[in-house]
Amino acid sequence: MENETGRFSGSNVSMVPAIPIISFTICVFSAFLIFTKRPRYPFDSIYSVFTIFLAAPHLGHLFVHRFEWGPEFLDFAILFPYTYGPLLLLYIRNLTTGNESFKRTDLLHFVPFVILQSVLLVRLFFFQPPEEGFYPHEWHRPSKGFHPSGGLLVTSMLVYSVWTFLLLNRHRKNIVNHFSNIDSIKDLRWMYWSLVLFVISTVVHILLEGLLFTDLPPENYEPRLIRGVAVLAFSVFFCWFGVRQTVVYTHRELHTFREKISKEEEVVSVEEERKKYEKSGLREDKIPEYLSRIRNYMESEKPYKDSEFSIDLLSENAEVPRFYITQILNERLETNFYNFVNEYRIKDIISALENISEERPNFLRLALEYGFNSKSTFNTSFKKVTGKTPTQYLEEISKAAHA
C-alpha cells in the first residue's frame, strides 16, 4: 500500500529490510566461523569469500532501504552476484580434487564482474546522470523489461550451475573407486540441494524480470520480498552445511602420500580412466599377480575393518599402483573399490551371524566392528550382496537351524 508521495507504507517497509538483516547476519557469521576454523583448507577460504560476497547485496539493500543511502551504492552491491557462479565452481573444484593452487586463468571467471564494476564507477565519476527523485522504499526501476545486465547475470548463473553439477557428478563416480565408506561429507549430496536452491533463485529472478514486461504494478507482488526469500533460503542452506564441510580426500593432507601419488594417479573420472587403460602400461600377464597380492592382503590383514580404509592404503600395502587396482577391479572383476571392500565386510559379518549365540544380534555393533560407518550403509551393502535384509537373512538361518 502506497501513501500520497508514492512511497510504500511503514508496514511494507519494515517487512522487506528484515530479510537483508537476517541474510547478512548469517553470511557474515558463517565467514567468521570459517576464518577461525583450524585447520583451515583452501576450499574454506573460497567459502569465506563466497559468503562475504553473498552478504554484499543484502548490505546494499539494507543501507538503501533502511538508511536511505543513494541508489549508486545499491547498483554497486547488486553486481556481486556475478561472482557467485565462479566462486561456487572453484569451491567444488578445490573440494573434490584437493587442488591447492589458484591458477591465474581462474581470474578470467571474474572478468564480467570487474568490467561491470568499472563501467559503473566510470559512469558515476565521469558521466553524472541528471538528478532524479529517488525513493528508497519504492520499487525503483528505470524502465520495463530486463535490467541492462539482468540477462547476463541469469546466463552466468545457469551456465555455472550446469558446470558445477557436472563436477559433482564426476566426483560421485570417482569416490566409489577410492573410498570404502561414503557419507554425505564425501559425496557432497548437500551441494546438490544447494544447487537446486541456487537455480530456483535464478528462476525467480527470471520470472520477476519477465513480469516487468507486463503492466502488473510491482507493489502487487513485492519483487524485493520474493527475490529476498529465495536468496535467503539458499544462504541459510549453503551456510549451514558449508560450515560443517571438511576435506573429502583426507590422504591428501598426509605427507607420506604426497610423495607417493604420481601425476597419473591423481583423481580422475571413471570415463577418463577407461580411456587411459589402453595406455596404462598394465601387462596382461601381471594381472593375476597383482590380483593375488590384493586378495592376500585383504584376507590376511583384514584392513577393511578400518572405516577409513581407502584405495591409497591398499595400494601402499599391497604394493600395487592405485591406477592398476582401479583398472583390475573395473575390467577384470567388473566392480569398483567401494563394492569390492564391502563384499569382504559382509562376508565376515555373515560368518559372525552364523556363529553368533544371540537371538537378536546388534547389527549396528557388527556393522561398526567390521568397518561400516553407519547402519544404513551396512543395510544397503548387505542386501546388495545377499539379496536380503540382515533381519530376513537371520530369520532364514534360524529356520534352517530348527529344521
Side-chain angles (χ1 to χ4, degrees):
M1 184 175 180
E2 293 177 294
N3 58 24
E4 295 178 357
T5 60
R7 302 187 185 192
F8 286 114
S9 63
S11 59
N12 288 332
V13 171
S14 60
M15 180 171 56
V16 175
I19 294 176
I21 292 173
I22 297 171
S23 300
F24 177 78
T25 303
I26 291 172
C27 292
V28 172
F29 184 65
S30 299
F32 171 77
L33 290 178
I34 292 297
F35 275 125
T36 57
K37 177 182 175 182
R38 294 294 181 273
R40 189 170 67 248
Y41 301 97
F43 66 84
D44 286 324
S45 299
I46 298 174
Y47 172 87
S48 297
V49 173
F50 185 92
T51 53
I52 291 173
F53 282 12
L54 195 61
H58 302 312
L59 184 64
H61 284 284
L62 181 61
F63 279 171
V64 169
H65 299 292
R66 176 61 65 89
F67 301 108
E68 301 190 4
W69 285 30
E72 297 83 6
F73 184 78
L74 182 59
D75 289 339
F76 170 79
I78 62 176
L79 287 178
F80 278 88
Y82 282 93
T83 66
Y84 296 171
L87 287 171
L88 206 58
L89 177 72
L90 295 177
Y91 175 74
I92 294 300
R93 190 189 72 183
N94 194 284
L95 191 57
T96 58
T97 64
N99 181 14
E100 296 184 7
S101 60
F102 186 89
K103 304 174 185 176
R104 289 184 179 180
T105 53
D106 291 336
L107 295 174
L108 294 176
H109 292 290
F110 302 95
V111 168
F113 171 71
V114 173
I115 291 177
L116 289 172
Q117 289 286 22
S118 300
V119 170
L120 176 64
L121 292 175
V122 169
R123 189 183 65 189
L124 181 62
F125 288 104
F126 298 101
F127 300 96
Q128 287 286 350
E131 291 188 7
E132 297 178 357
F134 175 69
Y135 305 105
H137 302 317
E138 284 187 342
W139 175 250
H140 182 73
R141 205 47 192 268
S143 62
K144 283 187 177 182
F146 280 100
H147 189 275
S149 63
L152 179 60
L153 175 59
V154 168
T155 302
S156 170
M157 295 175 77
L158 290 178
V159 167
Y160 279 102
S161 295
V162 172
W163 197 344
T164 304
F165 179 79
L166 293 176
L167 279 184
L168 286 171
N169 263 359
R170 186 177 70 176
H171 170 68
R172 294 194 74 172
K173 293 176 182 178
N174 243 352
I175 54 178
V176 295
N177 281 318
H178 190 95
F179 295 110
S180 62
N181 272 311
I182 298 173
D183 53 27
S184 59
I185 294 295
K186 290 184 173 67
D187 71 5
L188 303 177
R189 70 190 68 164
W190 69 271
M191 197 60 222
Y192 281 93
W193 289 107
S194 293
L195 269 184
V196 169
L197 292 174
F198 189 71
V199 172
I200 289 176
S201 297
T202 305
V203 171
V204 167
H205 183 85
I206 295 173
L207 293 176
L208 292 178
E209 293 282 339
L211 285 175
L212 293 172
F213 283 103
T214 70
D215 293 324
L216 185 65
E219 58 268 20
N220 288 353
Y221 55 90
E222 282 285 10
R224 284 182 291 149
L225 180 60
I226 297 173
R227 183 181 285 114
V229 170
V231 175
L232 175 60
F234 170 76
S235 302
V236 170
F237 193 87
F238 184 78
C239 290
W240 172 259
F241 287 97
V243 167
R244 300 167 61 193
Q245 181 65 46
T246 185
V247 290
V248 173
Y249 297 102
T250 54
H251 71 281
R252 292 183 180 274
E253 278 63 57
L254 301 179
H255 179 69
T256 54
F257 286 157
R258 288 182 186 275
E259 297 180 349
K260 291 184 178 182
I261 299 175
S262 63
K263 289 184 179 180
E264 68 176 359
E265 291 178 318
E266 289 180 354
V267 179
V268 291
S269 67
V270 175
E271 289 77 8
E272 290 172 337
E273 285 187 339
R274 290 189 181 280
K275 290 178 182 179
K276 292 181 179 180
Y277 283 163
E278 295 180 359
K279 300 178 181 180
S280 68
L282 176 60
R283 289 161 39 191
E284 187 70 24
D285 61 322
K286 297 289 288 184
I287 293 179
E289 177 189 340
Y290 289 150
L291 191 54
S292 177
R293 286 188 201 173
I294 294 170
R295 291 192 186 279
N296 288 340
Y297 175 68
M298 294 289 287
E299 292 166 6
S300 62
E301 301 298 327
K302 299 187 182 299
Y304 47 83
K305 295 182 76 172
D306 178 5
S307 63
E308 296 298 320
F309 181 56
S310 69
I311 197 171
D312 291 297
L313 289 170
L314 177 59
S315 173
E316 180 183 18
N317 291 283
E319 297 182 347
V320 179
R322 176 196 179 281
F323 191 76
Y324 290 171
I325 295 175
T326 303
Q327 182 176 354
I328 291 170
L329 294 181
N330 287 350
E331 291 192 337
R332 182 58 62 94
L333 303 184
E334 297 183 348
T335 187
N336 53 52
F337 178 76
Y338 176 78
N339 290 329
F340 177 72
V341 173
N342 285 334
E343 284 179 13
Y344 275 95
R345 289 170 174 162
I346 296 300
K347 287 177 183 177
D348 278 8
I349 291 175
I350 288 174
S351 298
L353 287 173
E354 291 174 348
N355 299 311
I356 204 165
S357 58
E358 300 175 42
E359 186 176 343
R360 300 182 70 84
N362 189 324
F363 288 119
L364 178 59
R365 178 181 59 78
L366 280 172
L368 297 176
E369 180 182 343
Y370 286 93
F372 288 100
N373 62 357
S374 70
K375 190 174 181 180
S376 60
T377 306
F378 159 67
N379 289 335
T380 302
S381 297
F382 194 97
K383 189 167 186 178
K384 186 170 186 176
V385 173
T386 65
K388 305 175 183 69
T389 65
T391 303
Q392 290 172 339
Y393 189 85
L394 194 62
E395 289 174 353
E396 286 195 1
I397 294 177
S398 180
K399 288 179 183 178
H402 293 88

